[in-house]
Amino acid sequence: MMLLSVLQANASVMDVEANLRTIDDAAQRAAQAGAGLLLTPELFPVGYAPLRLHAELDPAILPDLRERLATIARMHRIGLVYSLPALAQIQEQHDDAAQPPHADGAWHITATLLDAEGNEVLNYAKVHLFGPEEHKAFVAAQEPPAVVDFNGIRTSMLICYDVEFPEAVRAAATRGAELLLVPTALSAGFDNVPQVLIRARALESQLNVAYANHSGHEDVYNFLGGSVVAGPDGSLLAAAGESPTLLFAEVGTEAVKAAREEVPYLRERRPELYEEWEQRA
């Protein structure tokens, strides 16, 4: 079992210092409570404002920003998930430093999992972009969610709108994920996503799902809050209201194994048949 912490807070757009202070304070409180991991919302270190980020954010600040986030994890001895923009060329061709960024400045939305020593152990780039502003500011990635062993739990990540597609969650589950971490930026008015859909995704793929949202107003957005942690049987392990908060929930492997033994959804899938159905549609 691992105690998981989920930050729900209001970021300040383009105010990195204020946002890092919020993350640092949450990491300190989470670590003192015994949590092994802190999950933060989508694009929280820079604030959620796709068009402003694309126009104003200097990619040259990102290496230092990532190092400062790693320092927070190391200092408090806690795992950390953060979400930042990343130039698409750098994300896809990081092994060739001579390659220049895309001329059009194409960005992905990414999430990174750090261990308690500040090492990057998992990276993911958002596959499903939501709304006209994200489509103008970012490009959709194509790589499936990877899975790593984190504190004894097989762990994967998606970002925001990704989790609303059962195929994306199932892709993580079929790769062995027992815990799915989801930084998000969900606007007010979409209450059924955390209240119904997240629990359904956890139940149908029989894994723990942690969903961290913004609260309050940022740029032109009013955020719902409503962060949740759902168990592999669809149960609600933790839930937030509209205000800033730090959630805690215990997650582990035994409940996942029990759910998958009781109703073997993953074993009894028929992907070849589903593919045939798609072709016939």
Side-chain angles (χ1 to χ4, degrees):
M1 297 289 287
M2 177 180 70
L3 185 64
L4 167 73
S5 55
V6 176
L7 173 65
Q8 176 172 292
N10 182 226
S12 298
V13 176
M14 300 300 294
D15 190 344
V16 168
E17 298 302 324
N19 299 331
L20 287 179
R21 285 195 297 271
T22 299
I23 294 172
D24 181 65
D25 175 70
Q28 181 179 27
R29 289 187 288 136
Q32 288 174 345
L37 176 66
L38 171 65
L39 173 65
T40 67
E42 182 180 15
L43 296 175
F44 191 87
V46 291
Y48 184 88
L51 296 181
R52 281 191 62 188
L53 293 179
H54 188 270
E56 300 175 27
L57 185 65
D58 181 358
I61 75 166
L62 292 174
D64 179 67
L65 179 51
R66 290 179 180 275
E67 179 52 38
R68 294 179 68 184
L69 288 158
T71 298
I72 290 173
R74 278 195 300 271
M75 182 168 59
H76 300 296
R77 302 294 301 166
I78 189 170
L80 175 65
V81 173
Y82 65 80
S83 171
L84 283 173
L87 284 171
Q89 185 80 1
I90 294 172
Q91 183 74 14
E92 295 163 2
Q93 298 186 4
H94 59 277
D95 57 338
D96 187 353
Q99 285 287 339
H102 284 165
D104 61 0
W107 297 84
H108 286 318
I109 300 175
T110 69
T112 299
L113 169 62
L114 305 177
D115 65 17
E117 296 178 350
N119 301 309
E120 293 187 10
V121 295
L122 186 62
N123 288 286
Y124 174 78
K126 190 174 185 178
V127 170
H128 301 91
L129 301 177
F130 181 79
E133 290 201 359
E134 281 196 8
H135 280 90
K136 289 177 183 176
F138 300 104
V139 295
Q142 299 186 46
E143 290 301 308
V147 179
V148 296
D149 190 300
F150 185 83
N151 289 2
I153 302 172
R154 299 291 289 165
T155 300
S156 188
M157 295 189 295
L158 295 174
I159 300 174
C160 197
Y161 194 38
D162 286 327
V163 78
E164 299 182 36
F165 292 82
E167 298 87 349
V169 180
R170 188 54 60 82
T174 57
R175 285 166 171 79
E178 299 163 321
L179 171 62
L180 186 63
L181 304 169
V182 188
T184 194
L186 183 72
S187 296
F190 293 95
D191 302 58
N192 279 345
V193 174
Q195 294 176 13
V196 178
L197 189 146
I198 297 301
R199 295 175 70 178
R201 291 291 169 269
L203 172 62
E204 69 194 4
S205 283
Q206 298 169 312
L207 74 176
N208 300 285
V209 180
Y211 185 80
N213 196 21
H214 296 247
S215 63
H217 183 79
E218 295 172 34
D219 197 51
V220 298
Y221 297 94
N222 286 309
F223 289 104
L224 174 68
S227 302
V228 296
V229 183
D233 58 354
S235 59
L236 194 62
L237 304 181
E242 297 179 358
S243 302
T245 190
L246 190 62
L247 293 180
F248 292 92
E250 291 230 337
V251 296
T253 62
E254 291 306 314
V256 172
K257 292 174 183 175
R260 292 177 180 178
E261 282 301 316
E262 182 177 13
V263 184
Y265 289 137
L266 298 182
R267 283 205 311 269
E268 296 185 348
R269 291 169 58 248
R270 300 183 64 187
E272 298 84 3
L273 180 61
Y274 309 148
E275 185 176 352
E276 181 185 326
W277 288 352
E278 290 274 347
Q279 292 170 354
R280 288 162 53 185

